[in-house]
Amino acid sequence: MPAPLAPLLGFTLGVLLAWLARPEDGPDERPGASSWDRPTLAVALYALFLYAPVSAYFAVFAADWSFAYLVDGRAIPSALLLLLVLLDAAAPVLGFLAGRRALARRALPALAWLAALPLLVALLPLVVLHARFGVDASYDQVQSDFGTRPLPGSPLGYAILWMDALLVAGAVFTARTLSTIEGRGAAPLPLHARPGRPLPEVLPPDPASDEPPRFLGRTRGPR
């Protein structure tokens, strides 16, 4: 994927993961609860070991294409590429945390904006520069208009398909893992507090007896 747009797409992906893995009763936002729980760790592992390396591959080995042949990839400072890779590793986690916070506050419009705004900002250059992103060439070839070839069927095109397939498969696996984690983390309700089950009636204590109050339908066990 284009290097400057990868952090924006990663943030949107993190918000979508928060939405797909939302528990029925909402995330745990109790005072003092840490944001770095098991679901956040799962997203961080996906970002660190899959999303960031895939984005770094195109930033390093297809820098000309990643910047839409607007600049020579050989002239891009390595510090800038490193900064982009760090942003790629952090963006899904930041999006996931922001999405969980919006879900905890039941702020669905804010959640929609968190996912849509970075996506729209990333799609705009893709639409405007689609002709440049649709060729496999070097910076010099595009500037001189020779030796270019269509992206579909080229080695770069196959690399994009393969890498994007890995990202999608990893995102699906992460979403399923998050659902499993959230499902295991929900504690079952007590029998008398489950929805649709009335609370047992409490018998008033006998003033002449020191026995504790008893529930109807329950036998008193041995003392």
Side-chain angles (χ1 to χ4, degrees):
M1 62 183 63
L5 308 180
L8 296 173
L9 297 175
F11 188 89
T12 297
L13 180 59
V15 176
L16 293 179
L17 286 175
W19 168 257
L20 293 175
R22 66 193 185 281
E24 295 181 358
D25 54 351
D28 185 7
E29 292 291 338
R30 294 172 297 178
S34 175
S35 298
W36 286 96
D37 50 7
R38 293 177 64 188
T40 307
L41 181 60
V43 177
L45 291 176
Y46 166 75
L48 184 62
F49 291 106
L50 190 57
Y51 191 83
V54 168
S55 303
Y57 173 86
F58 294 103
V60 174
F61 297 104
D64 294 341
W65 176 84
S66 293
F67 289 87
Y69 306 102
L70 298 176
V71 295
D72 190 347
R74 295 167 295 185
I76 300 176
S78 58
L80 177 60
L81 296 179
L82 178 60
L83 177 61
L84 289 175
V85 173
L86 294 178
L87 290 176
D88 294 335
V93 180
L94 295 177
F96 181 75
L97 294 176
R100 292 182 76 188
R101 185 174 298 274
L103 286 172
R105 296 177 178 177
R106 302 297 192 270
L108 295 183
L111 181 72
W113 277 109
L114 285 173
L117 187 58
L119 182 61
L120 292 176
V121 174
L123 289 180
L124 183 60
L126 291 177
V127 174
V128 175
L129 302 172
H130 70 279
R132 288 177 173 265
F133 284 119
V135 298
D136 180 13
S138 65
Y139 173 80
D140 295 330
Q141 288 175 326
V142 172
Q143 295 301 317
S144 303
D145 195 17
F146 80 93
T148 62
R149 52 181 171 178
L151 187 65
S154 66
L156 179 58
Y158 287 124
I160 293 174
L161 288 177
W162 172 248
M163 296 296 182
D164 287 348
L166 289 178
L167 289 180
V168 172
V172 172
F173 177 80
T174 303
R176 293 177 62 89
T177 302
L178 292 174
S179 301
T180 303
I181 293 175
E182 295 288 3
R184 290 178 179 177
L189 292 175
L191 182 62
H192 61 79
R194 293 179 182 176
R197 187 181 183 90
L199 293 175
E201 182 180 353
V202 181
L203 290 176
D206 187 358
S209 174
D210 58 352
E211 293 184 1
R214 293 181 296 173
F215 295 93
L216 288 179
R218 297 188 179 182
T219 59
R220 181 163 54 89
R223 294 182 181 179

